[in-house]
Amino acid sequence: MTNAVDIRRGRILELVNQRGYLSSEELARTLDVTVQTVRRDVNCMDAQGLLARHHGGASSLSQAENIAYSDRQILHLREKEAIGREAARAIPDGASLFINIGTTTEEFARCLRSHKALRVITNNIHVASLLAPAPDCSLIITGGSVRLRDGGIVGPAAAAMIEQYRADFGVIGISGIDEDGTLLDFDADEISAAQAILRNARVVFLLADHTKFRRRPMARVGHISQISAFYTDQQPPAGIRAILRDSGVHLHVVPT
């Protein structure tokens, strides 16, 4: 019996590593078992540090590429909404902002639509679309290559345009946070824009749910000590908390 469980869990790990993310229903269909069986397996494998459990599925810890945008839109949506809502409360009317690529920053933008007279520079088409109904909102979209799969605008032109401005706030998402506080992303094409935001915002907010502590992309964006405030949904690991404390970074753990 144990051997059958081990074989099934090995297959789950193989499938998740191949696809990056799979829902519990997809895994159950593929393995011809119940969704409840898959959930038990995924819970156990998450506790063992083999994969990351999500509401409704599982993702790999060692993706060479990011999870598909359509999947990221629904992963931990409740947490992302809460993080975006809390961060948006800290933005006053009339502020200027940089907002970068990411599903959590998009939820943040959605929560800004009742703000007035914002001035926003973004390399995210979805952010621009979400803020279009905001009263008296001034929108600047960077130049660059449009990445149709997620609405991101990337490349040297995007970063160069951000460098021309100085904003009150920079709001960034991230794909992974290493144990030493290094901020990581999957796509080298988009990190130059994030780095430009770090350099040119007076105050920087980092928005990231708890799963980002268990992901290890390869591209280095910067360090968590460079930000002003960190909004997340669970307490970070002890080492990260120490870095935040020593660097004077405000930690906001948002209840969901």
Side-chain angles (χ1 to χ4, degrees), residues 203-217:
V203 174
V204 179
F205 290 175
L206 173 65
L207 315 184
D209 66 72
H210 67 278
T211 62
K212 305 303 166 54
F213 295 111
R214 302 180 60 178
R215 305 178 75 196
R216 299 292 183 267

Side-chain angles (χ1 to χ4, degrees), residues 69 73 106 109 124-131 148-152:
Y69 176 74
Q73 280 185 300
E106 288 169 17
N124 185 332
I125 288 175
H126 298 306
V127 163
S129 177
L130 287 164
L131 285 173
L148 296 178
R149 68 176 184 266
D150 64 0

